[in-house]
Amino acid sequence: MRFRLQLLFLSLMTFSFANAQVKLSGKVINDKNEPVQGASVKLVGVAGGTTTDVEGRYTFNLATGKKYTIEFSAIGYLAKTVSEVEVTTDNVNELNITLEVQSKEIEGVVVRSQATTARRESTASLIAFQKNTNTVASVISAESIRRSPDRNTGEVLKRTPGASIQDGRFLVVRGLADRYNQAMLNGILLTSTEPDRKTFSFELIPAQMIDNIVINKAFVPEYPGEWAGGLIQVNTKDIPTKGFFNIQIGTGVNSQTVGKKFLKDQGGKLDFLGIDDGTRGFPKGYTTKYAFNQLTPAEKTAIGQGMRNAWVADEVNSPINTSFQANGGFNKKIFGKTVGGNFGIIYNKTNRFQALLNRRNIIDADNNLSIESDFDDDRYLQEVSAGALGSISVQLNPSNKISVKTLVNVNTSNYVTERNGTDVSRPDFMLTGSEFRFKQNTFFTTQVTGEHSLLTDLKLKWYGSFNILDGYIPDQRRLLYGRASESDPYSAIIANTLSQQSGSRIFQSLSDYIYTGG
């Protein structure tokens, strides 16, 4: 009796797993790459079905372990039948469809159905999207991204023909540098992530959050024309098909740093996050250069004495490179409305050593070329990138949807440079010195968008965004020492001029605030 109960229990468990309900979702578009709203999605031979929403998306539940035939139809379009549709519990089940417009020059009403398999239709949908786009473009779908091992948008883009990545994040299209490109996130122009160059860091967006990427290589009237290389449109997922959560932890070894001498600035407790905690901030009492010039010599000296005495780097064992990425999403019904969101956290820290040669040549009166200054600069560089991304979308009904998306990133380079060499233009021509620089860039953007279907052929899309770009270089320090012979002691080179050969401390900050609406 006990054996029979166990056998019955195992049979019920096997039956329940074989018939688990899994979501199938996708998007229905036409041959102009426009979403088809109100398209009918029906299971052939099975009761029930659904219709597409304002974005042309559909979702319904299917049992695993079975193969289905699904029919897609809409007024004014040729119906399409897709066979061998099967869902699994360990994959994101997505089926995108392209419907062809029905010819107006017909005699009578003829209903035709095109039959194809699910695997062929998924591939054909991506090809049709790229073929039907009104410009020269490369298209990367979510399905292609899922099949690749890429962690972020930068790694995805480097697989695109005609595109390459510099420093793991800056895009070069058709050989043109990053400043000739323009980035858009969900149809909204993005500002530069770097305060001193026109570019966008594509490593900020996790690959699992991307719905598709379109790289335009030719101009069209409906998009901005502030680019020459490429217009990169990154579209993130609004409402995921089902909840998910991923964690990736990585490490790496740089043979030029691990186990060798590595110099590090005496910073604060938050340096590992790329954030200065105030350790490098202005001394107490300093306001502006004009106010400083009005002070007495004694007051100026007091402010100078308030600056931290940090002219020697700490020699540490170089840590290994580390990376961490976590992202997840959810899809819930709240008060009868479909609510979905995506969230992600990214952290990367790398250590590098650069052996730089800094040399200046001169030509004398007899046109002879000689070396005036010759320096060996050893740079110990630590780079930190930390960021977070989040989005929430509410599907009020099949015709109305509102979304909020936010992205924040801190990108910091912290280096120490040791200089040794000669400058024959100086009496104390034998020189040695150091430079300390901490550069913190903060990028923040938030977007609010809405899509509303007012009539069959009339849709309203609106958006608003706010961007902040901060560049912060606190207490950049340079100091050189010189001597005339090997037997002489080194003396600090300090002058009352803003020269790179004179000791200096530089504080720099830049803030951009950009508002966009449409």
Side-chain angles (χ1 to χ4, degrees):
M1 182 67 180
R2 183 178 179 182
F3 173 76
R4 290 180 180 178
L5 288 175
Q6 290 176 345
L7 183 61
L8 177 61
F9 176 75
L10 290 174
S11 300
L12 291 174
M13 289 293 293
T14 303
F15 178 80
S16 64
F17 279 118
N19 293 274
Q21 292 289 312
V22 179
K23 287 185 178 180
L24 173 69
S25 66
K27 187 173 183 179
V28 179
I29 62 175
N30 59 21
D31 53 9
K32 295 182 180 179
N33 292 337
E34 299 171 340
V36 179
Q37 182 186 0
S40 175
V41 185
K42 295 182 179 180
L43 297 176
V44 177
V46 181
T50 185
T51 57
T52 56
D53 60 16
V54 66
E55 287 188 317
R57 299 188 181 275
Y58 68 91
T59 302
F60 55 82
N61 295 324
L62 295 178
T64 59
K66 297 181 180 180
K67 292 185 177 181
Y68 297 89
T69 299
I70 305 178
E71 184 181 70
F72 298 84
S73 60
I75 298 176
Y77 296 91
L78 295 176
K80 178 173 288 189
T81 302
V82 181
S83 60
E84 298 184 12
V85 178
E86 188 176 7
V87 295
T88 59
T89 56
D90 56 348
N91 291 319
V92 176
N93 300 285
E94 187 172 354
L95 179 60
N96 298 320
I97 300 296
T98 302
L99 296 181
E100 296 182 8
V101 178
Q102 193 174 34
S103 176
K104 295 182 179 180
E105 298 179 2
I106 57 175
E107 296 179 0
V109 178
V110 179
V111 178
R112 291 182 294 173
S113 179
Q114 299 171 309
T116 183
T117 62
R119 181 173 296 180
R120 287 181 56 193
E121 184 59 37
S122 298
T123 305
S125 178
L126 174 61
I127 295 174
F129 185 93
Q130 187 159 344
K131 180 185 71 175
N132 296 328
T133 186
N134 60 346
T135 181
V136 180
S138 298
V139 181
I140 307 172
S141 66
E143 183 179 2
S144 301
I145 296 171
R146 283 198 303 270
R147 294 175 178 175
S148 70
D150 301 324
R151 297 173 302 168
N152 55 61
T153 309
E155 295 180 356
V156 173
L157 289 171
K158 72 181 180 183
R159 300 180 185 273
T160 307
S164 59
I165 291 291
Q166 286 184 339
D167 299 330
R169 53 191 174 184
F170 303 130
L171 185 66
V172 176
V173 180
R174 297 184 298 180
L176 293 176
D178 51 355
R179 68 189 182 98
Y180 293 105
N181 303 319
Q182 179 65 56
M184 297 181 72
L185 181 63
N186 302 307
I188 302 176
L189 277 176
L190 285 172
T191 60
S192 174
T193 55
E194 309 295 316
D196 53 357
R197 61 191 290 187
K198 182 184 180 294
T199 188
F200 185 82
S201 178
F202 286 98
E203 68 172 354
L204 307 183
I205 306 174
Q208 289 82 358
M209 294 188 177
I210 302 172
D211 186 60
N212 62 77
I213 300 175
V214 180
I215 303 179
N216 293 85
K217 300 177 183 179
F219 297 99
V220 287
E222 59 265 35
Y223 292 130
E226 300 177 3
W227 53 274
L231 176 66
I232 300 92
Q233 302 181 60
V234 180
N235 298 303
T236 58
K237 295 177 181 178
D238 285 333
I239 301 178
T241 306
K242 62 179 181 179
F244 68 93
F245 183 71
N246 300 311
I247 291 180
Q248 294 182 358
I249 300 175
T251 185
V253 176
N254 188 336
S255 60
Q256 293 181 329
T257 59
V258 172
K260 299 180 180 180
K261 170 186 173 182
F262 194 85
L263 299 182
K264 190 176 180 181
D265 186 16
Q266 301 174 10
K269 297 179 180 180
L270 299 180
D271 280 10
F272 75 100
L273 291 176
I275 301 174
D276 178 64
D277 61 358
T279 301
R280 301 175 179 86
F282 277 119
K284 184 178 180 181
Y286 186 86
T287 54
T288 64
K289 182 180 179 181
Y290 175 80
F292 180 81
N293 290 335
Q294 307 304 313
L295 300 178
T296 64
E299 292 172 329
K300 292 179 180 179
T301 301
I303 291 178
Q305 291 176 342
M307 291 184 173
R308 65 191 187 113
N309 186 14
W311 296 96
V312 179
D314 293 331
E315 185 171 341
V316 298
N317 293 324
S318 174
I320 60 177
N321 300 339
T322 57
S323 66
F324 173 81
Q325 179 175 309
N327 55 77
F330 68 92
N331 185 325
K332 299 290 184 181
K333 283 283 187 179
I334 301 178
F335 300 113
K337 312 297 182 184
T338 301
V339 180
N342 294 278
F343 303 92
I345 297 174
I346 300 176
Y347 177 80
N348 291 289
K349 184 174 71 173
T350 59
N351 304 280
R352 290 192 292 158
F353 171 76
Q354 296 174 329
L356 307 175
L357 177 63
N358 195 325
R359 180 177 291 172
R360 185 171 69 248
N361 300 323
I362 59 172
I363 300 177
D364 59 20
D366 297 327
N367 289 328
N368 295 320
L369 183 67
S370 61
I371 299 175
E372 183 179 58
S373 62
D374 187 5
F375 298 112
D376 290 321
D377 291 344
D378 293 338
R379 178 167 294 175
Y380 304 86
L381 174 64
Q382 185 174 87
E383 295 176 309
V384 175
S385 178
L389 183 148
S391 68
I392 295 180
S393 299
V394 180
Q395 188 83 42
L396 301 175
N397 52 51
S399 299
N400 297 277
K401 188 187 73 172
I402 296 176
S403 303
V404 179
K405 299 180 176 70
T406 300
L407 173 65
V408 61
N409 176 259
V410 176
N411 188 14
T412 302
S413 64
N414 183 10
Y415 68 73
V416 176
T417 302
E418 277 191 330
R419 168 170 286 189
N420 290 283
T422 59
D423 185 351
V424 297
S425 66
R426 301 180 55 88
D428 48 352
F429 68 98
M430 303 176 64
L431 302 176
T432 185
S434 59
E435 178 187 18
F436 304 84
R437 191 172 95 150
F438 181 92
K439 182 181 179 182
Q440 174 186 328
N441 293 338
T442 304
F443 174 76
F444 171 83
T445 181
T446 184
Q447 304 175 349
V448 181
T449 61
E451 296 187 34
H452 312 276
S453 180
L454 305 180
L455 297 173
T456 303
D457 295 327
L458 181 61
K459 294 182 180 179
L460 171 65
K461 294 184 179 181
W462 56 268
Y463 67 87
S465 70
F466 172 60
N467 301 280
I468 299 177
L469 179 60
D470 283 344
Y472 183 45
I473 305 178
D475 201 9
Q476 177 180 346
R477 307 180 301 284
R478 293 176 181 151
L479 187 58
L480 274 176
Y481 298 85
R483 62 182 181 180
S485 66
E486 293 282 353
S487 59
D488 294 337
Y490 277 108
S491 299
I493 302 173
I494 300 176
N496 193 25
T497 59
L498 293 178
S499 170
Q500 291 194 10
Q501 290 191 349
S502 173
S504 63
R505 305 183 81 143
I506 301 172
F507 295 80
Q508 178 179 316
S509 63
L510 171 69
S511 297
D512 286 343
Y513 299 87
I514 301 173
Y515 304 85
T516 307

